[in-house]
Amino acid sequence: MACALLATVVWSGSFVTSRGLHDSVPPVQHAFWRWVIALIAVAPFGARQAWRQRRLLRRHARHVLGASALGVAVYNTLVNQAGLTTPAATMGMIMAASPVLMAVFERLGGVRLGARRTTGLLIACAGVALLVGGGTGFPSGGLWMSAAACCFAGYSALLRRGPAELSGTGFLFTTFLIGTVLLLPVQAASLLLQGGFTPAPGTVLPLLYGGLASSAVAFFAWNKAVALIGATRAGIVYHLQPVCAAVLSWAVLGEDTTGTHLLCMALILGGVVLGAGASG
């Protein structure tokens, strides 16, 4: 649970950086440079392991490519696109729906959720639904965030179904590398059509946060959590995302937190506490 919580808190900050860079760094370029930084950070630990696992990685090439596309290339690009028009707190609210999809994917795979876990999931979902519909409205970037939630849920379910020996920093390095390569064509198109951005503390520091904390640290922690407790139980902790994102968006960006937000956060927290226990 600790690894899932660490990843969730750190990823909440990535919504703030996506929103904060919406008018200075194009979404694709934000995603591309984030993963370049992450790749450099993980390379000293993962490149050698990936080389040792090269036969295993080739054997499971479809699994690795799927994880790279969903979790690296597509997911964060969609989040950055949503950040052009959507407040960071609302992005976190919509992303909190992804554990529902994780549970659906695992249930389709034959995993029994248990009454307690299912109840906690439903309570947390009720908080998310009320938060999105109870006066906050559905933002114009909601479709982008909904697509991002689907990608992240698919990525997490894919991790759970992958071979146990295909894990750790070698797998992480490989997915970062492939995801960065997949972004190259759209990065080139963005530079051609939108131009580049001016490096400055206000752009470089958020990119460093995204590459080091939100990518290298958070993805390693999340992958570890999914391997240890499964995507569904990790997904229940992920429901804390809107709570963390709302607090950070208020502290960093000055976005308001209303009484409706607080009520729904209480539901989300209650669902997390209930669902994090053993199934039954």
Side-chain angles (χ1 to χ4, degrees), residues 59-251:
R59 192 184 316 146
H60 299 284
R62 291 173 60 184
H63 174 85
V64 175
L65 181 60
S68 303
L70 290 175
V72 177
V74 180
Y75 165 65
N76 286 113
T77 305
L78 293 175
V79 170
N80 296 338
Q81 184 66 36
L84 294 177
T85 56
T86 310
T90 307
M91 293 165 69
M93 297 171 206
I94 298 172
M95 270 304 297
S98 61
V100 180
L101 298 170
M102 294 177 203
V104 170
F105 288 147
E106 287 212 338
R107 187 67 187 89
L108 291 174
V111 176
R112 183 177 179 274
L113 302 182
R116 178 172 175 172
R117 203 169 298 166
T118 301
T119 302
L121 192 66
L122 291 175
I123 291 173
C125 286
V128 173
L130 182 59
L131 201 51
V132 172
T136 62
F138 197 73
S140 58
L143 291 177
W144 293 113
M145 282 306 302
S146 298
C150 291
C151 285
F152 185 75
Y155 170 77
S156 297
L158 196 61
L159 288 182
R160 185 60 173 170
R161 286 198 287 266
E165 65 272 23
L166 192 60
S167 61
T169 54
F171 174 76
L172 207 63
F173 172 81
T174 304
T175 57
F176 286 5
L177 177 61
I178 294 174
T180 303
V181 171
L182 291 175
L183 282 170
L184 275 172
V186 285
Q187 164 72 358
S190 177
L191 288 172
L192 181 64
L193 298 174
Q194 300 173 296
F197 63 92
T198 303
T203 55
V204 173
L205 291 178
L207 287 174
L208 286 173
Y209 176 88
L212 298 176
S214 294
S215 300
V217 174
F219 268 77
F220 179 82
W222 183 258
N223 291 4
K224 188 72 172 177
V226 170
L228 291 174
I229 63 176
T232 299
R233 292 189 69 188
I236 292 172
V237 178
Y238 193 78
H239 270 300
L240 289 170
Q241 185 100 260
V243 180
C244 300
V247 171
L248 289 173
S249 66
W250 170 78

